[in-house]
Amino acid sequence: MPTKEPQTELIPDPSAIAALVAQLVEGTWPGSDKERVSLFERLLVESGERLNQNLEGSPSASHTLSTEVPGISFASWSSYNGKFMSIHFHVYSFPEAKTSVTRLGHDAVWAILTNLYGQPTRLSNNEEVPPSSWKVNGRTIDTHFFDRRDSSLMLSISDGELSAAADAEVARDSHDSDPIKPSR
């Protein structure tokens, strides 16, 4: 009788990650800080310190999130012009490169999200596991698989319009601060 390979228990369970994503893309996106706080309470996360202290006065802000949810190694959230823009989670994280559990977790979460929301757009073709992006209800779900130095799956869920506005401002600001101006 052939022996079975031991099952690797993924923490958090990929279905729990998919349920978290579904809450964010299928529910009402917070339109006020009070609604954001209420969402965070439902997600069992709490806002922490500001990450980009050196960008005081910037329309964008990022904060850490603390959570007691097992398996989330790092979490953060971002705002743009005072409005909740995005939330980011790192799961299946290990300090070693090429950890098989991280790949297993990525593949399981990716399969569930693809089943729920269809085939994603691949954001790159030059990586073994390219980042993926789904557009759902005006929100964007992005997955990024890291395994070169350490291993982690990063999930980001963002408001599509606010993210586009923030990206446009960054592009405009970097263009405006370009020291080389074309001559006219």
Side-chain angles (χ1 to χ4, degrees):
M1 176 181 260
T3 60
K4 285 177 120 179
E5 278 201 35
Q7 289 286 66
T8 301
E9 182 182 0
L10 292 171
I11 299 173
D13 186 278
S15 62
I17 295 297
L20 174 69
V21 171
Q23 282 185 64
L24 289 160
V25 299
E26 295 173 14
T28 302
W29 194 258
S32 68
D33 201 48
K34 182 178 177 180
E35 290 173 356
R36 179 197 55 79
V37 170
S38 178
L39 172 67
F40 285 6
E41 288 172 357
R42 287 192 309 277
L43 297 176
L44 304 175
V45 298
E46 187 176 305
S47 184
E49 67 184 60
R50 185 172 173 159
L51 292 170
N52 49 356
Q53 298 279 348
N54 59 338
L55 297 176
E56 208 59 49
S58 169
S60 296
S62 295
H63 301 264
T64 61
L65 281 174
S66 59
T67 182
E68 298 298 318
V69 176
I72 295 178
S73 62
F74 178 77
S76 64
W77 69 278
S78 300
S79 64
Y80 178 69
N81 284 332
K83 295 181 181 175
F84 176 60
M85 180 173 61
S86 58
I87 192 166
H88 317 273
F89 297 98
H90 284 260
V91 292
Y92 314 122
S93 300
F94 297 91
E96 302 89 30
K98 306 248 182 232
T99 303
S100 63
V101 172
T102 303
R103 179 62 188 261
L104 188 67
H106 167 274
D107 293 352
V109 169
W110 190 91
I112 294 170
L113 293 177
T114 299
N115 188 48
L116 289 171
Y117 305 118
Q119 284 294 318
T121 301
R122 293 296 198 159
L123 302 175
S124 165
N125 288 326
N126 61 354
E127 297 177 51
E128 180 183 338
V129 181
S132 296
S133 185
W134 293 262
K135 305 282 187 208
V136 182
N137 296 332
R139 308 207 184 97
T140 303
I141 306 163
D142 291 321
T143 61
H144 294 270
F145 175 75
F146 302 107
D147 75 342
R148 290 193 179 150
R149 201 177 44 204
D150 48 9
S151 301
S152 183
L153 168 61
M154 183 177 80
L155 286 135
S156 299
I157 300 88
S158 59
D159 177 281
E161 286 184 27
L162 282 176
S163 291
D167 290 346
E169 182 161 328
V170 167
R172 186 176 53 252
D173 287 350
S174 65
H175 177 73
D176 289 344
S177 64
D178 186 353
I180 302 172
K181 300 283 183 189
S183 59
R184 297 184 188 207

